Amino acid sequence: MDNPEFTNLSRSVQGHVVLITGAASGIGRATAKLFAREGAKVAVTDLGEERVEAVVEEIASENGVAKGWELDVTNSEQIKKVINEVALWGEENSPRLDVLINNAGLSASTSIDDPNYEAGWDISLAVMLTAQVKTIREALPHLREAKNPRIINISSTEGVGGSPTSSAYTAAKHGVVGLTRSLAVELGDEGITVNAVGPGPIHTGMTEAIPEEMKTKFARRRVPLRRYGHPEELAHGVLHLALPASSYITGHLLMVDGGMTIKNN
Ligand code: NAI
């Protein structure tokens, strides 16, 4: 790539075709809405047609461009079908996909001695790690045709540390960091950037069962910014990595965690 001459357009995803997994809730939903507000064409994918359509309608009501697909990221056939349909929707005569955001996730908390441990391990790895590999493999032929191809994988503070009863989740999220770094190196000569985002504690579907009092206590003790984050704050981190101007950032893990992972005392 020649020395880039950045313009205002380099700080815009206007017209870019963006696919987000797990986009019916929390961070995925906020990211879909932010990209649409920024002028991207957003493919909203998740489990459950009604949940997906609700987000598409929210975006349409703000005059954004979005289309919904039901997509279970553990289903290889569905991944293939949906990614190809999204690329055709992106641009009819020459399929287009610029940004892949691997966000789908769930929490399965089990101690290592739990009789059901293996079920939690299997689903955690399937949804949060193996699925990212599958979507990336299917999206690559399209990303290779894109002008500013971006892969963004959602990891976690659990991608750099660990917590009790979360070993499957933690293993998956550490795996995301390894996958991201290795692919950043492998795909670098093609100009495809591969980055990860590590959310700290965020107000989403995943954390809504935790009583507010516990959240406040946790945040005061562990997070320098003293609070849980909002999905929109995550979405802006993702957007930053997707910009054409972020062309020299790859293999990076961007923590959006209120400082949680750098706090010693
Ligand atoms: P959320 O529960 O609000 O959203 C997760 C979405 O993933 C849901 O809409 C769910 O339907 C979808 N999903 C689950 N299994 C799926 C499957 N098989 N196929 C397709 N979609 C599936 O949770 P949140 O917080 O927005 O999670 C987004 C990402 O952020 C996840 O990868 C999560 O691990 C990560 N994260 C969240 C944190 C938090 O505090 N909320 C902290 C660290 C990471």
Side-chain angles (χ1 to χ4, degrees):
M1 185 179 179
D2 295 333
N3 193 4
E5 283 188 20
F6 290 133
T7 64
N8 281 348
L9 275 182
S10 316
R11 292 184 290 276
S12 164
V13 289
Q14 178 87 38
H16 292 204
V17 181
V18 181
L19 187 154
I20 309 173
T21 68
S25 174
I27 292 167
R29 172 173 165 267
T31 305
K33 292 178 75 170
L34 176 64
F35 274 75
R37 277 185 211 125
E38 294 293 311
K41 286 183 83 169
V42 181
V44 177
T45 77
D46 205 322
L47 301 174
E49 199 181 336
E50 276 179 23
R51 299 172 64 233
V52 168
E53 285 314 315
V55 177
V56 171
E57 276 167 32
E58 285 175 45
I59 291 174
S61 73
E62 296 180 355
N63 298 318
V65 181
K67 189 170 155 71
W69 278 267
E70 208 176 348
L71 174 61
D72 177 346
V73 293
T74 64
N75 183 325
S76 305
E77 285 310 307
Q78 261 184 34
I79 289 176
K80 193 184 183 79
K81 181 173 161 287
V82 169
I83 288 185
N84 286 318
E85 285 180 16
V86 168
L88 281 171
W89 170 71
E91 209 162 296
E92 209 171 309
N93 296 323
S94 104
R96 176 168 178 187
L97 178 64
D98 302 277
V99 183
L100 170 66
I101 302 169
N102 279 312
N103 164 76
L106 46 83
S107 67
S109 172
T110 39
S111 74
I112 192 73
D113 303 312
D114 192 297
N116 293 320
Y117 182 84
E118 284 192 23
W121 172 270
D122 288 347
I123 189 73
S124 298
L125 272 285
V127 171
M128 292 182 285
L129 184 57
T130 310
Q132 298 200 358
V133 175
K134 289 181 178 173
T135 55
I136 289 168
R137 280 167 55 82
E138 289 300 336
L140 264 179
H142 303 300
L143 293 172
R144 286 193 164 111
E145 301 299 320
K147 210 165 151 213
N148 297 285
R150 303 278 182 263
I151 297 170
I152 300 162
N153 301 322
I154 304 303
S155 178
S156 169
T157 45
E158 293 292 318
V160 291
S163 305
T165 73
S166 86
S167 55
Y169 185 87
T170 307
K173 293 301 189 182
H174 272 66
V176 170
V177 177
L179 175 72
T180 300
R181 290 181 175 154
S182 181
L183 289 182
V185 177
E186 184 169 334
L187 301 173
D189 65 350
E190 300 188 68
I192 300 173
T193 73
V194 190
N195 290 290
V197 174
I202 311 293
H203 290 291
T204 67
M206 197 171 277
T207 53
E208 72 184 349
I210 305 171
E212 281 308 313
E213 204 185 298
M214 267 175 78
K215 285 182 183 161
T216 307
K217 230 171 150 182
F218 175 88
R220 288 209 177 122
R221 189 166 52 86
R222 296 291 312 281
V223 182
L225 290 179
R226 299 275 191 275
R227 62 175 175 86
Y228 262 52
H230 298 286
E232 292 72 19
E233 294 178 300
L234 244 294
H236 277 85
V238 176
L239 175 67
H240 173 66
L241 294 170
L243 298 178
S246 296
S247 48
Y248 206 52
I249 303 174
T250 197
H252 186 65
L253 169 61
L254 175 64
M255 299 311 298
V256 184
D257 66 350
M260 184 174 148
T261 44
I262 49 89
K263 184 175 184 291
N264 283 338
N265 268 301

Coordinates of all heavy atoms in Angstrom, one line a residue, residues 22 24-28 46-47 51 71-74 103-106 127-128 154-156 169 173 199-202 204-207, ligand 1:
G22 N -24.7 -12.3 16.4 CA -25.3 -12.0 17.7 C -25.7 -10.6 17.8 O -25.6 -10.0 18.8
A24 N -28.8 -9.2 17.7 CA -30.1 -8.9 18.2 C -30.1 -8.4 19.6 O -31.2 -7.9 20.1 CB -31.0 -10.2 18.1
S25 N -29.0 -8.3 20.3 CA -29.0 -7.9 21.7 C -27.6 -7.2 22.0 O -26.7 -7.3 21.3 CB -29.1 -9.2 22.5 OG -29.0 -8.9 23.9
G26 N -27.7 -6.5 23.1 CA -26.4 -6.0 23.7 C -25.4 -5.3 22.8 O -25.8 -4.4 22.0
I27 N -24.2 -5.8 22.8 CA -23.1 -5.2 22.1 C -23.3 -5.3 20.6 O -23.1 -4.3 19.8 CB -21.8 -5.8 22.5 CG1 -21.4 -5.5 24.0 CG2 -20.6 -5.4 21.6 CD1 -20.3 -6.3 24.6
G28 N -23.8 -6.4 20.1 CA -24.0 -6.6 18.7 C -25.1 -5.7 18.2 O -24.9 -5.1 17.1
D46 N -28.6 -13.2 13.9 CA -28.7 -13.8 15.3 C -29.7 -15.0 15.3 O -30.3 -15.3 14.3 CB -29.2 -12.7 16.3 CG -28.7 -13.0 17.8 OD1 -28.7 -14.1 18.2 OD2 -28.4 -12.0 18.4
L47 N -29.8 -15.6 16.5 CA -30.9 -16.6 16.7 C -32.2 -15.9 16.7 O -32.3 -14.8 17.4 CB -30.6 -17.3 18.0 CG -29.3 -18.0 18.2 CD1 -29.2 -18.6 19.6 CD2 -29.2 -19.2 17.2
R51 N -36.4 -11.5 16.8 CA -35.4 -10.6 17.5 C -34.6 -9.9 16.5 O -34.2 -8.7 16.6 CB -34.5 -11.5 18.4 CG -35.2 -12.3 19.5 CD -34.3 -13.2 20.2 NE -33.2 -12.6 20.9 CZ -31.9 -12.8 20.7 NH1 -31.6 -13.8 19.9 NH2 -31.0 -12.2 21.4
L71 N -29.3 -16.6 12.0 CA -28.1 -17.4 11.8 C -27.6 -17.9 13.2 O -27.3 -17.2 14.1 CB -27.0 -16.4 11.2 CG -25.6 -17.0 11.2 CD1 -25.5 -18.3 10.3 CD2 -24.6 -16.0 10.7
D72 N -27.6 -19.2 13.2 CA -27.0 -19.9 14.4 C -25.6 -20.2 14.0 O -25.3 -21.0 13.1 CB -27.8 -21.3 14.6 CG -27.1 -22.1 15.7 OD1 -26.0 -21.8 16.1 OD2 -27.8 -23.1 16.1
V73 N -24.6 -19.6 14.7 CA -23.2 -19.6 14.3 C -22.6 -21.0 14.5 O -21.4 -21.2 14.2 CB -22.4 -18.5 15.0 CG1 -22.8 -17.1 14.5 CG2 -22.4 -18.6 16.5
T74 N -23.3 -21.9 15.1 CA -22.8 -23.3 15.2 C -23.2 -24.1 14.0 O -22.8 -25.3 13.9 CB -23.3 -24.0 16.5 OG1 -24.7 -24.1 16.4 CG2 -22.9 -23.2 17.7
N103 N -19.3 -11.5 17.0 CA -19.7 -11.0 18.3 C -20.5 -12.0 19.1 O -20.6 -12.0 20.4 CB -20.5 -9.7 18.1 CG -21.3 -9.3 19.3 OD1 -20.7 -8.8 20.3 ND2 -22.6 -9.6 19.3
A104 N -21.2 -13.0 18.5 CA -22.1 -13.9 19.2 C -21.4 -14.5 20.4 O -20.3 -14.9 20.4 CB -22.6 -15.0 18.3
G105 N -22.2 -14.6 21.5 CA -21.6 -15.2 22.7 C -22.6 -15.6 23.7 O -23.8 -15.2 23.6
L106 N -22.2 -16.3 24.7 CA -23.1 -16.7 25.8 C -22.2 -17.0 27.0 O -21.0 -17.2 26.9 CB -23.9 -18.0 25.5 CG -23.1 -19.1 24.8 CD1 -22.5 -20.0 25.9 CD2 -24.1 -20.0 24.0
V127 N -19.7 -21.7 20.0 CA -20.3 -20.4 19.7 C -19.2 -19.3 19.7 O -19.2 -18.4 18.8 CB -21.4 -20.0 20.8 CG1 -21.8 -18.6 20.6 CG2 -22.5 -21.0 20.6
M128 N -18.2 -19.3 20.6 CA -17.4 -18.2 20.8 C -16.0 -18.4 20.1 O -15.2 -17.4 20.0 CB -17.2 -17.8 22.3 CG -18.6 -17.3 22.8 SD -18.6 -16.8 24.5 CE -18.6 -18.3 25.3
I154 N -14.8 -10.4 18.8 CA -15.1 -10.0 20.2 C -14.5 -11.0 21.2 O -14.9 -12.2 21.2 CB -16.6 -9.8 20.5 CG1 -17.2 -8.7 19.5 CG2 -16.8 -9.3 21.9 CD1 -16.5 -7.4 19.4
S155 N -13.6 -10.6 22.0 CA -13.0 -11.4 23.1 C -13.6 -10.9 24.4 O -14.8 -10.7 24.5 CB -11.5 -11.3 23.0 OG -10.9 -12.1 24.1
S156 N -12.7 -10.7 25.4 CA -13.2 -10.3 26.7 C -12.0 -10.0 27.6 O -10.9 -10.3 27.3 CB -14.0 -11.5 27.3 OG -14.3 -11.3 28.7
Y169 N -15.5 -20.5 29.1 CA -15.6 -19.2 28.6 C -14.2 -18.5 28.4 O -13.9 -18.0 27.3 CB -16.5 -18.3 29.5 CG -16.8 -16.9 29.0 CD1 -17.9 -16.7 28.2 CD2 -16.0 -15.8 29.3 CE1 -18.2 -15.4 27.7 CE2 -16.3 -14.6 28.9 CZ -17.4 -14.4 28.1 OH -17.7 -13.1 27.6
K173 N -12.3 -17.3 25.0 CA -11.9 -15.9 24.8 C -10.4 -15.8 24.6 O -9.9 -14.9 23.9 CB -12.4 -15.1 25.9 CG -14.0 -15.0 26.0 CD -14.5 -14.4 24.7 CE -16.0 -14.1 24.8 NZ -16.6 -13.6 23.5
P199 N -14.2 -6.6 25.7 CA -15.1 -5.8 26.6 C -14.9 -6.1 28.1 O -14.6 -7.3 28.4 CB -16.5 -6.3 26.2 CG -16.4 -7.1 24.9 CD -15.0 -7.6 24.9
G200 N -15.0 -5.1 28.9 CA -15.1 -5.3 30.4 C -16.5 -5.6 30.7 O -17.3 -6.0 29.9
P201 N -16.9 -5.3 32.0 CA -18.3 -5.6 32.3 C -19.2 -4.5 31.7 O -19.1 -3.3 31.8 CB -18.3 -5.4 33.8 CG -17.1 -4.5 34.1 CD -16.1 -4.8 33.1
I202 N -20.2 -5.0 30.9 CA -21.1 -4.2 30.1 C -22.5 -4.5 30.4 O -22.9 -5.7 30.6 CB -20.8 -4.4 28.6 CG1 -19.3 -4.4 28.2 CG2 -21.6 -3.4 27.7 CD1 -18.6 -3.1 28.4
T204 N -25.6 -5.6 29.4 CA -26.2 -6.3 28.2 C -27.1 -7.4 28.7 O -27.2 -7.7 29.9 CB -25.2 -6.9 27.3 OG1 -24.5 -8.0 28.0 CG2 -24.1 -5.9 26.8
G205 N -27.6 -8.2 27.7 CA -28.4 -9.4 28.1 C -27.6 -10.3 28.9 O -28.1 -11.0 29.9
M206 N -26.3 -10.4 28.6 CA -25.4 -11.4 29.3 C -25.3 -11.1 30.8 O -25.1 -11.9 31.6 CB -24.1 -11.4 28.7 CG -23.2 -12.6 29.0 SD -21.8 -12.6 28.0 CE -22.4 -13.4 26.5
T207 N -25.4 -9.8 31.2 CA -25.2 -9.4 32.6 C -26.5 -8.9 33.3 O -26.4 -8.5 34.4 CB -24.1 -8.3 32.7 OG1 -24.5 -7.2 31.8 CG2 -22.7 -8.8 32.2
Ligands
NAI1 P1 -26.0 -10.6 24.8 O1 -26.5 -11.8 25.5 O2 -26.7 -9.3 25.0 O3 -25.8 -10.9 23.3 C1 -25.2 -12.0 22.8 C2 -25.9 -12.4 21.5 O4 -25.3 -13.6 21.0 C3 -27.4 -12.8 21.8 O5 -28.3 -12.0 21.0 C4 -27.5 -14.3 21.4 O6 -28.7 -14.7 20.8 C5 -26.3 -14.4 20.5 N1 -26.0 -15.9 20.3 C6 -25.8 -16.8 21.3 N2 -25.6 -18.0 20.8 C7 -25.7 -17.8 19.4 C8 -25.6 -18.7 18.3 N3 -25.4 -20.0 18.5 N4 -25.7 -18.2 17.1 C9 -25.9 -16.9 16.9 N5 -26.0 -16.0 17.9 C10 -25.9 -16.5 19.1 O7 -24.5 -10.4 25.3 P2 -23.4 -9.3 25.0 O8 -22.8 -8.9 26.3 O9 -23.9 -8.3 24.0 O10 -22.3 -10.3 24.2 C11 -21.7 -9.9 23.0 C12 -20.2 -10.4 23.1 O11 -19.5 -9.7 24.1 C13 -20.1 -11.9 23.5 O12 -19.1 -12.5 22.7 C14 -19.6 -11.8 24.9 O13 -18.9 -12.9 25.3 C15 -18.8 -10.5 24.9 N6 -18.5 -10.0 26.2 C16 -19.5 -9.4 26.9 C17 -19.3 -8.9 28.2 C18 -20.4 -8.2 29.0 O14 -20.1 -7.8 30.1 N7 -21.6 -8.1 28.5 C19 -17.9 -8.9 28.7 C20 -16.9 -9.5 27.9 C21 -17.3 -10.0 26.7

